[in-house]
Amino acid sequence: MGKIKIKICEDVSQDIAKAVGSVMPMGHIGVCFLSGDSDIAHKAMSAIGEFEYKITYIEYPDGSVADEFTVGDVVNAPDDIRLFIGVGGRDVATILGEACAKRNTPYLIATYSPFIYGVGYCVKAAALPIEVYVDAGAYSARDDYAHCVGAAIAHRVALWERKYVYQMLGKYDYSNIKREQELLDSMIGDGEMADKARILEGFVEYAKIADDTFLSCADILSQLIERCMLTRVRGESMLIAAIALVKYFKAIMSIEDSRLLIPADISSHCRVLSKMTDIDISEIMKAVTDRKFQGKWLYIHSEYREDMLKELNAIDSKLLKIIKSAKRFMGDVGYHLGEDYDSNVILTLLRHLSPLAHECSPASMADYLGMVSDQIQ
C-alpha cells in the first residue's frame, strides 16, 4: 500500500477548495458522509461555492459500513462525477476507497478527528485518496482524544505482539518496527497523554508508516468486546483490550519452566467464542484447521522470553497514567466505564482467544505452554 498524503489544516474548507481547483476547475463533485456529520460536511464544502461546481451529496445513515450497497451508491453515482470527497472517518474512507477503485475515480478525505481511523489509516482498498485533510481546529471533540489514547496503547501492544510473532517465524523487519515504536512511544511518553498537539501530530505521522497487514490480538479482542456489547466505541474497546492483553501476555511470558503440552480441545475455545459473540462456529474453526505447531517455537520463545517480558513490564508501568489520561478526555471522566466494563467477560474472551489469534501469537502459544485459567489475573 502506498503512503497516504496527510495535511493538517487551519481552514479545511479553503484547503479542500484549493485541492479541488488543482484537480479540475469546474465540473461535478460527489460528497459522501454519515448523517451525524451532515453539518460538518456542508461546512467543509462551504468554500467550494465560489467556483462553478455541481455538487451531489451522498448521505449515509449513522453506523453505515462498507458493503455492496454503500459502495454501490458511489459506484453507480452519475458518470460525470469526476472527484469524490469523503467527510468523516474510517467508514466513509473505506466506502470511498473501495468504490473509487472500482470507478477509477480520484477522491480525497476531510476529517475533523485526530483518531487514527479519521486520518486514513484504515483505507485498505486498491485506491488511495489524493490527500487526507485533518481539521486542526476541531479540538472541541474531547472524546476523540480519549479514543486516541486507547488506540495508541492498543497499537503499541499490537506492535509488541507482531515483534514476538516475527521472531517466532524468523521474519525480521526491524527498521519499520523501530520507526513505529519510536512514534508510538513518543506519543505515549510516560503515560501522561494530555498534549493534544503531540497526539494529533503523532497519529498523522504514524498513519503514514503503520503496517496494518498483521492481525493482532488487540484488533481481535477490541472487536469481540464490541460484539459482546461492552462498548460500541472503537477507541474505548481498544483501550480495554490493550489493558487486558498486557496483563495476559505478562502472565504467559512469566512462565519460566516452558514445556510442550498437548493443547486442550481447541474446539471448546471455538464453542465458547461462538456462544459469546454469535459468530458462526464454522467461521471460527476455519482459522485453526491448518495449524501445525513447530517445536522450535518453544525454543525461540524461551530465547526471547525475558527480553519481551521486560518490554511488557515497561508498558505495564505506564498503564495507570494512560487510563487516567483517557478518562480525563471523556465527558463523564470515564464514569460510564464502571457500568459497562465487565471483567469476567474480558477474562473469558482472553482464555478462549487462541483460535482467532495468529498461530504463534502468545495467545496461541499459551495452549502449548500449559497456561491455565487461574494464571490469568
Side-chain angles (χ1 to χ4, degrees):
M1 188 177 91
K3 302 305 180 188
I4 300 171
K5 297 179 181 178
I6 301 171
K7 181 178 181 181
I8 300 174
C9 308
E10 294 300 327
D11 188 336
V12 72
S13 176
Q14 289 291 338
D15 284 337
I16 288 175
K18 291 176 185 176
V20 173
S22 68
V23 175
M24 50 191 235
M26 62 182 66
H28 194 174
I29 301 170
V31 182
C32 303
F33 54 92
L34 300 184
S35 295
D37 295 329
S38 176
D39 290 344
I40 297 169
H42 284 84
K43 181 181 178 182
M45 297 300 296
S46 59
I48 294 289
E50 301 175 12
F51 303 90
E52 297 182 17
Y53 294 108
K54 177 183 177 181
I55 301 176
T56 294
Y57 289 96
I58 303 174
E59 181 175 344
Y60 295 103
D62 290 339
S64 295
V65 297
D67 58 30
E68 61 177 311
F69 302 106
T70 56
V71 170
D73 287 337
V74 176
V75 172
N76 299 319
D79 291 339
D80 64 339
I81 294 179
R82 297 171 52 204
L83 176 70
F84 283 93
I85 298 173
V87 180
R90 175 183 56 173
D91 298 321
V92 168
T94 307
I95 290 169
L96 275 183
E98 294 184 16
C100 289
K102 293 180 179 180
R103 279 184 64 116
N104 194 27
T105 304
Y107 73 102
L108 59 86
I109 298 292
T111 180
Y112 51 87
S113 169
F115 188 31
I116 190 165
Y117 294 120
V119 296
Y121 170 66
C122 67
V123 180
K124 298 180 176 69
L128 288 178
I130 298 170
E131 200 153 12
V132 175
Y133 294 92
V134 184
D135 186 353
Y139 283 163
S140 59
R142 289 169 52 88
D143 281 0
D144 272 343
Y145 286 93
H147 305 163
C148 287
V149 172
I153 185 59
H155 282 288
R156 183 63 181 88
V157 174
L159 185 67
W160 179 93
E161 183 188 8
R162 173 153 55 101
K163 191 185 302 184
Y164 176 92
V165 168
Y166 281 10
Q167 288 170 339
M168 300 293 280
L169 296 176
K171 178 179 178 180
Y172 301 103
D173 182 23
Y174 288 133
S175 59
N176 201 62
I177 284 179
K178 183 174 184 292
R179 179 64 179 139
E180 288 183 56
Q181 184 170 327
E182 287 173 349
L183 281 172
L184 290 169
D185 286 346
S186 175
M187 265 193 286
I188 294 170
D190 65 355
E192 294 271 6
M193 298 179 66
D195 188 336
K196 292 180 178 180
R198 186 177 71 180
I199 292 172
L200 173 58
E201 292 166 5
F203 267 128
V204 166
E205 292 305 310
Y206 181 66
K208 294 176 182 177
I209 67 163
D211 180 356
D212 64 344
T213 59
F214 176 74
L215 182 61
S216 70
C217 285
D219 293 321
I220 296 166
L221 185 56
S222 64
Q223 293 176 42
L224 294 180
I225 287 169
E226 292 171 25
R227 290 189 71 98
C228 291
M229 302 298 287
L230 295 186
T231 176
R232 299 306 299 269
V233 178
R234 179 55 52 91
E236 288 183 9
S237 67
M238 295 179 82
L239 176 65
I240 295 170
I243 295 166
L245 285 167
V246 168
K247 304 300 183 183
Y248 183 38
F249 288 162
K250 277 186 63 176
I252 296 168
M253 304 306 289
S254 295
I255 298 175
E256 296 182 6
D257 184 20
S258 301
R259 67 273 192 197
L260 180 61
L261 299 179
I262 298 174
D265 182 7
I266 293 182
S267 63
S268 65
H269 293 325
C270 299
R271 287 193 295 272
V272 171
L273 287 175
S274 178
K275 184 176 180 180
M276 291 182 69
T277 62
D278 290 328
I279 301 174
D280 190 281
I281 192 169
S282 63
E283 293 298 312
I284 300 174
M285 288 293 290
K286 284 179 184 177
V288 295
T289 51
D290 296 327
R291 288 189 176 178
K292 294 181 177 64
F293 176 82
Q294 299 181 33
K296 68 177 182 180
W297 290 348
L298 196 63
Y299 168 76
I300 297 171
H301 168 88
S302 65
E303 281 290 298
Y304 288 102
R305 182 188 68 81
E306 290 185 0
D307 291 339
M308 296 300 290
L309 179 59
K310 182 178 179 180
E311 187 176 327
L312 269 181
N313 283 329
I315 297 172
D316 190 28
S317 69
K318 303 175 183 179
L319 277 184
L320 288 178
K321 288 184 178 179
I322 291 170
I323 294 168
K324 184 180 290 186
S325 297
K327 287 182 174 181
R328 287 184 174 175
F329 279 125
M330 297 175 185
D332 63 357
V333 201
Y335 176 78
H336 66 285
L337 292 178
E339 297 180 345
D340 297 338
Y341 183 83
D342 188 334
S343 58
N344 290 325
V345 173
I346 305 299
L347 289 175
T348 304
L349 289 173
L350 285 173
R351 290 169 186 144
H352 301 285
L353 191 62
S354 62
L356 297 177
H358 190 283
E359 62 182 344
C360 53
S361 161
S364 300
M365 287 294 293
D367 291 336
Y368 297 95
L369 295 171
M371 282 291 294
V372 293
S373 60
D374 60 6
Q375 288 175 287
I376 307 172
Q377 301 296 331

